[in-house]
Amino acid sequence: AVDDECGECGGSGSTCNISYSETIQPIFTANCSGCHISSTRNNLSLSNYSSITSGNSSNGPVIIAGDHANSLLWKKVSSGLMPPSGNDLTASQISLIATWIDEGALDN
């Protein structure tokens, strides 16, 4: 396969089939779990698929499957607001999250 923005596709970025368990959760575990492991910040846990898709009591769901641009989670990580303290995700990680959301935010 030819690498493209998501690092896994055959070129278009639209058929990546990003794996939540192998690709997305490790990003959250490595970069977000310090604050969002057990709903400790903003009532949002990023420790597992169920918690991520449930969102939080303030904002409800933080992911709109199929629409990364309007998903609060993507807005936060792509804006540099999260994670805080200059520990921004890489452009590749942000792209992977966007593609995963656009592909339906599946638990795969």
Side-chain angles (χ1 to χ4, degrees), residues 19-58:
S19 168
Y20 165 77
S21 61
E22 293 179 16
T23 305
I24 301 304
Q25 186 57 56
I27 293 171
F28 295 145
T29 299
N31 298 285
C32 309
S33 64
C35 295
H36 293 285
I37 190 141
S38 297
S39 302
T40 57
R41 293 275 172 100
N42 293 322
N43 224 7
L44 177 63
S45 172
L46 299 177
S47 62
N48 60 62
Y49 182 81
S50 177
S51 295
I52 292 168
T53 55
S54 295
N56 65 28
S57 60
S58 301

Side-chain angles (χ1 to χ4, degrees), residues 60-77:
V62 294
I63 293 175
I64 301 169
D67 185 3
H68 80 271
N70 287 306
S71 295
L72 182 60
L73 180 84
W74 185 82
K75 288 179 181 181
K76 294 288 187 179
V77 299

